Amino acid sequence: MPRLTGRRFGTAVGTYLILTAVSLIMIVPLIWMVSTSLKEPQSIFTYPPQWIPDSLQFQNYIDVFRLIPFHRFYGNSVYISALVVLGTVFFASLAGYAFAKIPFKGRNVVFLILLSAMMIPHEVTAIPMFLFMRQLGWIDTHLPLILLPIFGAGGVFGIFVMRQFFITVPTELEEAAMIDGCSRFRIYWQIMLPLAKPGMATLTIFTFVTSWNEFFDPLIFINSRELMTLPLGLSLFTDEVGTAWQYLMSATVMATVPLLIVFFLAQRRFIEGVAMTGLKE
């Protein structure tokens, strides 16, 4: 291994100290959330803050399921997010491959028009989209929460990510496959997709986190309590009287677990995807 000079060693140590300090700042809210979820109500806002409660109230986690149908909200969010991820990755990879590798007239113009959809604030299109969903009879169903992210701005972002990744794949692979008689779809399915795992992992994480944390669309389209997702369910712990912080934090801890699982499972591919999606234009 190459030896570090005094200056380079000092720079490396300083960098790691800064990163460690920033990481500690970022993790403090998470620690406070877990700590609060295990406290009694009267000890939540004591000063100085008590990070480790004298009595760990694991009953708070059980009470969450007793007070609200938390398991139903959890199940709704899981299957909605799963369908959104699968739909977005599939259609975005198809469109991304077309924009990256299939020459057709007006390709760049169409791509720029698609990207312009990402520049429109979601709040601007909320009322027209609500009226459109009402015309289709989809209000108070999960269909808007599944289809709008796939074919809306989230899908456009996915197309951009996958296009940038497919651009980095050598064209010679396609040419060799065509010589062997492969169709476009077979090239996409058997050659491009296996190579695109880092890009797909990146898109999976971004899409899952966005869908899992979505609050605005469920608030607009969902009326029935049994159809609520987790973000809406968490809001039930706040009313005119106040907020039941111990239950809200307990539910939030449980809601955070899938996000951590998805990230750690796709972490290596995610880093590769972020590093590779912008290498070539």
Side-chain angles (χ1 to χ4, degrees), residues 24-219:
L24 291 175
I25 294 173
M26 294 294 182
I27 205 172
V28 164
L30 181 62
I31 297 174
W32 187 85
M33 177 179 69
V34 176
S35 174
T36 303
S37 70
L38 297 170
K39 290 180 179 179
E40 298 176 343
Q42 62 271 17
S43 61
I44 292 177
F45 294 107
T46 56
Y47 186 84
Q50 187 179 19
W51 294 98
I52 301 177
D54 295 328
S55 176
L56 299 179
Q57 301 296 314
F58 292 102
Q59 183 65 33
N60 292 340
Y61 287 84
I62 300 174
D63 289 342
V64 167
F65 292 90
R66 180 178 57 82
L67 295 172
I68 62 173
F70 188 74
H71 62 286
R72 182 179 293 275
F73 301 156
Y74 217 101
N76 291 339
S77 287
V78 167
Y79 101 84
I80 290 173
S81 298
L83 291 178
V84 169
V85 168
L86 290 174
T88 301
V89 171
F90 177 69
F91 288 108
S93 60
L94 272 175
Y97 171 66
F99 281 114
K101 295 298 183 180
I102 301 177
F104 58 88
K105 189 175 181 179
R107 180 177 66 174
N108 293 333
V109 175
V110 173
F111 184 66
L112 288 175
I113 293 174
L114 276 177
L115 288 183
S116 66
M118 298 175 58
M119 304 176 188
I120 303 175
H122 184 48
E123 292 76 11
V124 174
T125 60
I127 294 177
M129 196 56 63
F130 176 84
L131 297 176
F132 181 55
M133 293 296 108
R134 189 176 65 178
Q135 290 278 344
L136 295 176
W138 288 359
I139 298 299
D140 204 25
T141 71
H142 287 153
L143 287 174
L145 308 184
I146 296 171
L147 296 179
L148 292 182
I150 294 176
F151 300 105
V156 174
F157 172 76
I159 293 172
F160 171 77
V161 171
M162 297 308 297
R163 173 186 177 271
Q164 293 302 103
F165 186 86
F166 284 130
I167 285 177
T168 65
V169 178
T171 307
E172 290 76 13
L173 289 176
E174 270 192 306
E175 295 172 349
M178 289 179 180
I179 293 174
D180 290 337
C182 290
S183 63
R184 279 288 185 184
F185 185 80
R186 187 176 178 186
I187 293 173
Y188 156 78
W189 189 257
Q190 295 186 348
I191 297 175
M192 291 298 178
L193 278 190
L195 294 175
K197 288 180 181 178
M200 293 167 65
T202 303
L203 182 57
T204 295
I205 291 178
F206 280 124
T207 304
F208 183 81
V209 170
T210 302
S211 178
W212 187 263
N213 292 330
E214 182 61 52
F215 179 82
F216 188 71
D217 279 356
L219 182 64

